[in-house]
Amino acid sequence: MLRGSALRAMFAAPGRVVRPVMQPTRALHTTTPTRNPFVVRFGLFLIGRGVQYVREKLPQRAQWLLSPWTLGTGAGLLLLNAVHNTIDENPITGRRQICMIPDEQMLEISNQAEEEYLAQFSHDIAPSNQREVRMAKRILERLGHNMATRHMHFRLYYINQRATNAFVLPNGAVFLFHGLVEMLEANEDALACVLSHEICHVVARHGQEKITFATIWNYVEAVAWVLGGLIGIPFVVPMIGGSVSDFCEEVVFAPHSRDNEREADKLGMYMASEACYNPRAAPQVWRRFQEKGIPHSDFASTHPSHAEREANLQAELENVLLCSAPQHCGGSAWPSIGELFHAIRRSLPGA
């Protein structure tokens, strides 16, 4: 998802009310996962103390059944079995993924998220006859003819706020902020590259991966708290460990999130090109972010730096241009979208 703050230099067009940014908004694939709250951690620690109490009441020969090694090994085997059973190959990208969240449940989550976002931005949704709205709908209609997006029914919500932001939910809801469109100077090719990037997050199931990894992390942390209570270590020790866990989680999640952004960047450029938009606009989007001085932090960030994203897309541009003139755009034959996705997967780090 694209992030940013309001640009002070932007002004609303005549007859249009553009509000300042109410609060930062993130999509499902970049939202910080829900963590076990303190009360849950404390409860898990007490459960461990309770298990230790029961264990001490058992006969000596049966105490091994509730030993830390036995319970820890059992919990580990259950996790490995769950992970093994949820490894699946993405039918579009061909990448093997761990997705514990089925598509049906993801649709329910995104439907709920859509309702919450609509309640938040209900007073700032632009009318359908606004020029930028018509342009965005035209882009979504062309991107919707892609094999990977034909099952999605896009619904556009154009938000008259100055946030440089856009995101797409798995149920097809598209939230586009006026600040981003104005920063791109209403360039249709650039906006198409941004929207295709966001759509590719859905196609590549990045949101499901994010929730899955958060679920695994919370499970491992919960087991650790129970074992901490079982072993009998002072409560202050797991409290310190919880802070270390929070830091380590950011270190673990951030690199994977950055890889997802790189994947969506490249896949989105191919998708926009197939829809007859100029792929040269993709790297220019990130140059624009740099020129506008939109801040970015590399350390523990969920997104690569603007400069890196521009460089990555510029390096991939030559490959895109080799097949960027499909017949329906008045050029040569276009390879299948499946072939393109598999080709781009081979060019990604670690492929």
Side-chain angles (χ1 to χ4, degrees):
M1 185 198 67
L2 298 174
R3 300 183 300 166
S5 60
L7 301 178
R8 294 186 178 90
M10 290 185 177
F11 298 94
R16 179 189 305 134
V17 176
V18 179
R19 299 177 184 269
V21 182
M22 295 175 60
Q23 66 181 69
T25 305
R26 293 187 173 192
L28 292 177
H29 63 271
T30 56
T31 301
T32 302
T34 301
R35 297 296 313 282
N36 294 323
F38 171 79
V39 64
V40 172
R41 298 180 186 183
F42 183 67
L44 292 169
F45 182 81
L46 293 181
I47 289 174
R49 299 302 298 151
V51 172
Q52 174 62 15
Y53 176 81
V54 173
R55 179 171 177 259
E56 292 174 350
K57 298 298 182 181
L58 294 176
Q60 187 71 27
R61 64 179 180 276
Q63 289 187 3
W64 68 272
L65 293 172
L66 295 180
S67 70
W69 287 107
T70 302
L71 296 181
T73 301
L77 291 176
L78 286 175
L79 177 60
L80 289 176
N81 181 67
V83 169
H84 175 74
N85 291 334
T86 54
I87 295 178
D88 191 20
E89 181 177 297
N90 188 300
I92 301 298
T93 67
R95 180 163 63 89
R96 295 180 65 80
Q97 298 173 293
I98 303 175
C99 289
M100 295 182 177
I101 311 299
D103 293 338
E104 296 76 14
Q105 184 178 351
M106 201 65 186
L107 285 177
E108 294 178 6
I109 294 174
S110 56
N111 287 335
Q112 181 180 353
E114 180 181 4
E115 293 178 3
E116 294 175 356
Y117 288 134
L118 284 177
Q120 179 181 359
F121 302 116
S122 59
H123 298 295
D124 297 315
I125 296 178
S128 58
N129 62 348
Q130 189 169 309
R131 181 175 62 89
E132 296 89 345
V133 175
R134 296 198 305 270
M135 177 181 67
K137 285 185 175 181
R138 183 167 61 247
I139 293 172
L140 291 173
E141 181 179 0
R142 286 166 64 172
L143 294 177
H145 293 305
N146 192 291
M147 183 192 75
T149 58
R150 288 174 183 170
H151 67 286
M152 301 179 67
H153 302 286
F154 295 121
R155 298 179 303 283
L156 174 67
Y157 302 105
Y158 190 93
I159 313 300
N160 278 325
Q161 287 190 14
R162 292 174 177 171
T164 50
N165 200 0
F167 57 89
V168 178
L169 299 179
N171 65 352
V174 180
F175 289 82
L176 176 61
F177 289 74
H178 178 75
L180 175 63
V181 176
E182 192 163 2
M183 186 198 71
L184 298 175
E185 298 180 346
N187 183 286
E188 189 163 342
D189 290 310
L191 184 57
C193 290
V194 170
L195 292 177
S196 60
H197 163 96
E198 297 301 329
I199 291 171
C200 283
H201 275 304
V202 176
V203 170
R205 295 177 177 172
H206 290 164
Q208 285 155 283
E209 280 189 312
K210 185 81 170 182
I211 297 176
T212 295
F213 289 153
T215 301
I216 293 174
W217 188 271
N218 285 340
Y219 175 83
V220 172
E221 187 184 57
V223 171
W225 277 86
V226 172
L227 293 180
L230 178 59
I231 294 172
I233 59 178
F235 183 68
V236 66
V237 175
M239 280 297 297
I240 297 174
S243 299
V244 175
S245 174
D246 293 342
F247 174 79
C248 291
E249 182 191 20
E250 292 299 324
V251 174
V252 170
F253 273 109
H256 182 75
S257 296
R258 289 195 292 268
D259 286 341
N260 283 350
E261 291 298 326
R262 296 182 184 104
E263 182 177 58
D265 279 345
K266 292 187 177 181
L267 295 180
M269 187 163 58
Y270 279 95
M271 180 179 287
S273 180
E274 188 198 26
C276 303
Y277 288 105
N278 188 350
R280 294 181 179 87
Q284 297 302 318
V285 168
W286 300 109
R287 178 175 298 180
R288 188 72 172 166
F289 267 70
Q290 294 179 74
E291 292 173 349
K292 286 293 182 179
I294 296 178
H296 176 273
S297 174
D298 288 323
F299 179 72
S301 173
T302 58
H303 291 60
S305 68
H306 303 326
E308 179 192 337
R309 299 177 82 165
E310 179 189 359
N312 289 343
L313 291 175
Q314 195 65 44
E316 189 65 28
L317 185 58
E318 182 178 353
N319 293 331
V320 179
L321 292 175
L322 291 176
C323 49
S324 63
Q327 282 184 327
H328 59 273
C329 296
S332 58
W334 176 264
S336 71
I337 192 65
E339 293 173 344
L340 287 176
F341 279 153
H342 285 291
I344 190 60
R345 276 297 309 154
R346 290 193 295 270
S347 70
L348 291 173

